Amino acid sequence: MPLRVGTRASNLATAQAEKVCSLLGDLGVETEIVFISTVGDEKTDLPLHEIGGQGVFVRALDDALKQGKIDMAVHSMKDIPAYRPAGLVTSAILARDSPCDYIVTDHDLEDIKIIGTSSTRRTAQLRRNLPWADIKPLRGNVNTRLSRLRTGEYDGIMLAEAGLQRLSMTLEGHRMDPKIHIPSPNQGTIAVATRNDPEITEIMSRIDDPGTRTDTMLERKVMEMIGGGCFTPLGIYCKDRMMLAEVLSLEGDRSFRLERRVSDLEDAGKFGQEVREKAGDLINEAFQRLGITHG
């Protein structure tokens, strides 16, 4: 009986699920894809922070896992919240693709007047790094965003470069340096969630990438300690244990940045705590201004 692979139905999510199925197929494991609709897919007219944050793309798949409707769920790892339901595990983390943000445009950066994104992090970083550009909201799947770019609504739109790679799209534009335009934690990474079932987790361990798992789990530990979620303009990026984190004001005019090598999860926790302590005012300000309640 084939393993049931749950995914959202967008082209990008499907491509990611197909990549997992291909890797499992190479191991002789039979799979079938099951499409699950999420609140994040159904409410594309609202910013993420107004409909519950990153978790809106994950909850329906978590529910399908817990109910036994699927055997695994494939996610962009950056969409998975820090806190996970009991009984579910991230049993495979694939080798990381590009972590970079990418501005799709046929303009030089200095000639861009309007950029589309609904990410508070990308908005704040763009306001700081491209202060001449007007940032306008933009959600929807990759093709929806590209169609709005083609109609001339925007001079450029910001996407994760990894998504374009997975869709085999080569588009004119500008790759943003991840050491300057620090990405979301786990950006560029595909993760597979399953029930904590040894029969399944053993299979998934065979497509797990240890180096990517180390870096992304260190990023998640920092994210957990900072506690900003997707509401705070927050970038976290780790490469071979060299950790970079940045918290910005919503306007991008104030920020705190920390960079150093971290040795393990405990060390990453201390790193995150330091960021939390020194950037606490920025984090609390973002929550207050966005009308988010947090502990």
Side-chain angles (χ1 to χ4, degrees), residues 17 43 73 157 206 211 220 244 257:
K43 296 187 177 181
I157 61 172
R206 295 154 69 189
R220 291 184 77 76
L244 264 171
R257 174 188 172 111

Short mmCIF file of all heavy atoms in Angstrom, two decimals, residues 17 43 73 157 206 211 220 244 257:
data_model
loop_
_atom_site.label_atom_id
_atom_site.label_comp_id
_atom_site.label_asym_id
_atom_site.label_seq_id
_atom_site.Cartn_x
_atom_site.Cartn_y
_atom_site.Cartn_z
N ALA A 17 6.20 18.31 -2.85
CA ALA A 17 5.75 16.96 -2.54
C ALA A 17 6.27 15.96 -3.57
O ALA A 17 6.68 14.84 -3.23
CB ALA A 17 4.22 16.92 -2.49
N LYS A 43 -7.67 32.22 2.22
CA LYS A 43 -7.78 33.64 2.53
C LYS A 43 -6.55 34.38 2.06
O LYS A 43 -5.71 34.81 2.85
CB LYS A 43 -8.00 33.84 4.04
CG LYS A 43 -9.32 33.25 4.54
CD LYS A 43 -9.57 33.61 5.99
CE LYS A 43 -10.93 33.08 6.45
NZ LYS A 43 -11.22 33.43 7.86
N ALA A 73 3.34 14.78 5.77
CA ALA A 73 2.97 16.09 5.23
C ALA A 73 4.24 16.81 4.82
O ALA A 73 5.21 16.86 5.58
CB ALA A 73 2.22 16.90 6.28
N ILE A 157 8.57 41.99 -7.61
CA ILE A 157 7.95 41.26 -6.51
C ILE A 157 9.02 40.42 -5.84
O ILE A 157 9.96 39.95 -6.48
CB ILE A 157 6.78 40.37 -6.96
CG1 ILE A 157 7.25 39.30 -7.95
CG2 ILE A 157 5.67 41.21 -7.56
CD1 ILE A 157 6.18 38.27 -8.27
N ARG A 206 16.15 8.14 5.76
CA ARG A 206 17.02 7.84 4.61
C ARG A 206 17.06 8.98 3.59
O ARG A 206 17.90 8.99 2.70
CB ARG A 206 16.58 6.53 3.96
CG ARG A 206 16.78 5.33 4.91
CD ARG A 206 15.84 4.18 4.62
NE ARG A 206 16.16 3.53 3.35
CZ ARG A 206 15.38 2.59 2.78
NH1 ARG A 206 14.24 2.24 3.38
NH2 ARG A 206 15.73 2.06 1.64
N GLY A 211 23.50 17.84 7.59
CA GLY A 211 24.01 19.20 7.67
C GLY A 211 22.90 20.23 7.69
O GLY A 211 22.91 21.18 8.50
N ARG A 220 15.79 27.19 14.35
CA ARG A 220 14.50 27.06 15.03
C ARG A 220 14.64 27.30 16.53
O ARG A 220 13.74 27.86 17.16
CB ARG A 220 13.89 25.69 14.76
CG ARG A 220 13.45 25.52 13.32
CD ARG A 220 12.75 24.21 13.08
NE ARG A 220 11.40 24.24 13.57
CZ ARG A 220 10.39 24.86 12.96
NH1 ARG A 220 10.59 25.52 11.84
NH2 ARG A 220 9.19 24.84 13.46
N LEU A 244 23.37 34.07 12.15
CA LEU A 244 23.04 35.48 11.94
C LEU A 244 21.59 35.70 12.33
O LEU A 244 20.72 34.92 11.92
CB LEU A 244 23.19 35.83 10.46
CG LEU A 244 24.46 36.44 9.92
CD1 LEU A 244 24.38 36.47 8.40
CD2 LEU A 244 24.65 37.84 10.45
N ARG A 257 21.21 43.40 15.40
CA ARG A 257 21.78 42.29 14.66
C ARG A 257 22.85 41.61 15.53
O ARG A 257 23.61 42.28 16.23
CB ARG A 257 22.41 42.80 13.36
CG ARG A 257 23.18 41.75 12.55
CD ARG A 257 23.90 42.45 11.39
NE ARG A 257 24.79 41.56 10.68
CZ ARG A 257 24.60 41.13 9.44
NH1 ARG A 257 23.55 41.52 8.77
NH2 ARG A 257 25.48 40.33 8.87
#
